[in-house]
Amino acid sequence: MTRSEGSLAIIFTFMLAYILTVMVLPDLLEYLRPEWVALIIIYWVIAIPHRVGVIVAWVVGIFQDVLVGAVLGQHALALSAVAYITYMLHMRIRVFPVWQQSLSVLLLVGVYLMIVLMVQRTVATSHWTLWYWLPALSSAVVWPWIVLPLRWLRKQYAIN
Amino acid sequence: MITFVILSMVLIFVDHRTGLLKPVRYSLSVLMTPIQYISNTPVRVAEWSADGVKSKDQLQRENVALSNQVLLLERRVQKLASTVAENKRLKELMNSSDIVDDRVIVAEIVGVDPDPYRHEVIVNKGRNDGLYEGQAVLDADGLMGQIIEVGPMTSRALLISDSTHGLPVHANRNGVRAIAVGSGILDKLRLIHVPDTADLEVGDLLVSSGLGGRFPKGYPVGVVSKVSHDPGQPFAIVEARPTANLDRSRYVLLVFSVEEPAEESVAESVDVSTEGLPTEKISAIDGGEG
């Protein structure tokens, strides 16, 4: 498998994350929607930090801004910050058991949500409740289930 | 890392304060259009198969055509209510000559904003169909919102219930004017700056007043659901329930105003006293109620 095929696989995972991010869900589930794009970024930064880092996270974030109609730079800022923190900790998180990784994801997505909220509150008044933090929880819960297919994908395409 | 933080902040600032990045967003949105469409396929497939079980292909098409027609007809009925009331008040001679039947097109909602705190939908018509920013969006029962971002094939519409949206309305019964501001809750609008003495009652129909020139005049917006007077407050507390099915409509109507899209300068020069609303979207209020 070539390197470019690997890159394609990585791009594919982000496409999938985008689709899941804007997919129409029933009302209640909407509050529980995991932050797919952030999860995928965290995974790739932990797995292959030399290829997916702050720069990729930033570009991915710009596209997410366009997709969800946010101020340009909002998700870019949040995702690159998360990528940076993940990069600093990736050696440690890598050897954690999965449940402990989930806890790290809880905190990382929390940071992500916090930055998004900060930007949102600066540029617009937003209706905001404690429910806002639920995605951090649901992201941590789905983490073990997204690690498995991504790990398989990585083996399949020998991405490293 | 610091570079990226600064870069992001500059971007946020430039995008929020100026329109310089609109072309960038426009071209990037072309790339993202397929994603919008794909994410909507489950809904499409479900709908398509539900139709397919009932009828053959032709019947399906007929059905769609008919429901579009119903929408168009129902819109005309909507306008009747306000026109009749206006006749009754014998104001016909002064103003109503400007109620010309507007041109409309039907669009389908292909996506909703994934953020539950923002009330925005994506429709499947864009610049190629002649849409423009600030265009009014209706459904069969009333005003839904306005277009805030136009892409080549899809556009984004802000619903009237979004907490950053406001529009000038007047009561159909007696013409009392007010500004209806979204509350962030789908079935609630707040009427701001209503004097305690204003003659508004529960059940009053509010229609768009057309002041400010962004929304066409005379479409139903909401029904007053609560009026209360708090002696400690300078204004009466009035709430209304939108008549449009903000969370259910699948097909919407886009109205082309008789005059050309409202000029930027007009929208920006209006300085409605709506503290707490972001400066960017104040242009959406286009009040003139001051």
Side-chain angles (χ1 to χ4, degrees):
Chain A
M1 298 290 171
T2 61
R3 198 181 156 86
S4 67
E5 261 179 74
S7 301
L8 274 183
I10 295 176
I11 292 173
F12 171 75
T13 59
F14 283 122
M15 291 291 164
L16 213 58
Y18 285 140
I19 291 171
L20 288 171
T21 303
V22 292
M23 198 150 87
V24 182
L25 287 180
D27 260 1
L28 274 178
L29 282 180
E30 201 130 277
Y31 288 92
L32 276 169
R33 187 200 300 269
E35 294 294 341
W36 297 105
V37 179
L39 282 173
I40 303 281
I41 285 278
I42 293 171
Y43 177 81
W44 287 123
V45 173
I46 294 171
I48 42 169
H50 48 280
R51 283 180 72 179
V52 177
V54 175
I55 303 177
V56 173
W58 193 82
V59 174
V60 166
I62 286 288
F63 276 105
Q64 195 182 348
D65 286 328
V66 173
L67 187 68
V68 304
V71 174
L72 277 186
Q74 175 177 318
H75 290 93
L77 177 64
L79 280 178
S80 50
V82 165
Y84 181 71
I85 303 171
T86 315
Y87 180 75
M88 299 306 272
L89 302 171
H90 76 271
M91 289 299 214
R92 223 179 296 173
I93 300 178
R94 227 183 241 179
V95 295
F96 279 168
V98 169
W99 67 268
Q100 224 167 326
Q101 285 186 349
S102 277
L103 281 186
S104 325
V105 166
L106 179 73
L107 292 179
L108 287 167
V109 176
V111 169
Y112 167 85
L113 289 172
M114 197 166 70
I115 297 175
V116 168
L117 183 67
M118 269 159 54
V119 177
Q120 248 171 33
R121 301 230 99 183
T122 328
V123 300
T125 46
S126 58
H127 178 73
W128 177 84
T129 59
L130 268 184
W131 290 70
Y132 177 80
W133 303 103
L134 268 182
L137 211 61
S138 59
S139 299
V141 172
V142 298
W143 173 257
W145 282 274
I146 76 159
V147 165
L148 291 176
L150 284 177
R151 196 171 280 163
W152 175 85
L153 192 80
R154 213 176 109 218
K155 295 248 166 67
Q156 201 73 11
Y157 287 92
I159 302 166
N160 44 44
Chain B
M1 182 59 214
I2 300 294
T3 350
F4 281 97
V5 170
I6 294 170
L7 189 57
S8 311
M9 292 197 171
V10 169
L11 262 185
I12 291 170
F13 181 80
V14 173
D15 191 32
H16 181 50
R17 294 279 163 180
T18 71
L20 291 179
L21 291 175
K22 281 218 176 112
V24 181
R25 186 184 282 273
Y26 184 82
S27 39
L28 287 182
S29 76
V30 180
L31 287 175
M32 300 314 264
T33 307
I35 289 186
Q36 295 281 14
Y37 271 90
I38 294 172
S39 68
N40 196 37
T41 32
V43 183
R44 271 166 192 273
V45 169
E47 251 184 17
W48 177 82
S49 52
D51 277 359
V53 173
K54 268 184 257 155
S55 61
K56 293 252 156 78
D57 184 39
Q58 199 172 7
L59 278 177
Q60 259 181 49
R61 251 180 287 146
E62 216 170 83
N63 210 343
V64 172
L66 282 173
S67 51
N68 282 355
Q69 209 177 345
V70 169
L71 259 182
L72 289 166
L73 290 173
E74 256 175 304
R75 187 188 66 89
R76 286 200 187 138
V77 177
Q78 281 175 37
K79 289 203 91 169
L80 271 180
S82 71
T83 321
V84 168
E86 214 158 16
N87 281 346
K88 216 183 269 172
R89 290 201 300 273
L90 296 174
K91 280 194 172 174
E92 201 180 27
L93 287 173
M94 290 169 68
N95 285 325
S96 61
S97 63
D98 59 1
I99 296 199
V100 182
D101 224 0
D102 313 314
R103 192 165 70 84
V104 296
I105 55 173
V106 178
E108 189 184 350
I109 293 180
V110 294
V112 293
D113 198 286
D115 183 348
Y117 301 101
R118 284 171 40 182
H119 297 172
E120 286 174 19
V121 295
I122 294 145
V123 298
N124 69 344
K125 295 271 153 62
R127 184 144 293 157
N128 297 350
D129 307 280
L131 264 63
Y132 55 87
E133 264 176 47
Q135 193 168 14
V137 181
L138 307 167
D139 78 347
D141 298 313
L143 229 154
M144 281 185 84
Q146 61 175 308
I147 300 288
I148 51 168
E149 203 182 297
V150 186
M153 280 159 289
T154 56
S155 309
R156 190 172 280 273
L158 186 71
L159 300 182
I160 53 174
S161 60
D162 190 277
S163 56
T164 62
H165 193 279
L167 86 156
V169 295
H170 68 76
N172 199 31
R173 182 167 58 87
N174 51 13
V176 170
R177 276 170 292 133
I179 297 181
V181 177
S183 61
I185 301 165
L186 265 177
D187 57 358
K188 199 157 96 182
L189 301 173
R190 284 182 302 117
L191 265 57
I192 56 170
H193 308 316
V194 177
D196 260 332
T197 51
D199 178 19
L200 276 177
E201 286 167 12
V202 172
D204 276 354
L205 178 67
L206 301 169
V207 299
S208 57
S209 66
L211 292 173
R214 176 152 298 198
F215 288 101
K217 189 177 167 183
Y219 288 102
V221 174
V223 176
V224 176
S225 57
K226 181 184 150 196
V227 182
S228 67
H229 303 281
D230 180 349
Q233 298 283 332
F235 298 108
I237 301 157
V238 185
E239 283 169 10
R241 190 169 35 75
T243 48
N245 297 313
L246 296 181
D247 54 346
R248 256 158 298 179
S249 296
R250 180 122 193 97
Y251 293 97
V252 296
L253 297 162
L254 296 154
V255 185
F256 291 90
S257 297
V258 184
E259 59 278 39
E260 279 306 288
E263 274 120 55
E264 290 280 302
S265 58
V266 176
E268 273 166 14
S269 67
V270 175
D271 188 13
V272 189
S273 50
T274 45
E275 62 278 26
L277 289 177
T279 46
E280 188 201 358
K281 282 181 179 162
I282 279 235
S283 57
I285 287 200
D286 67 15
E289 302 275 317

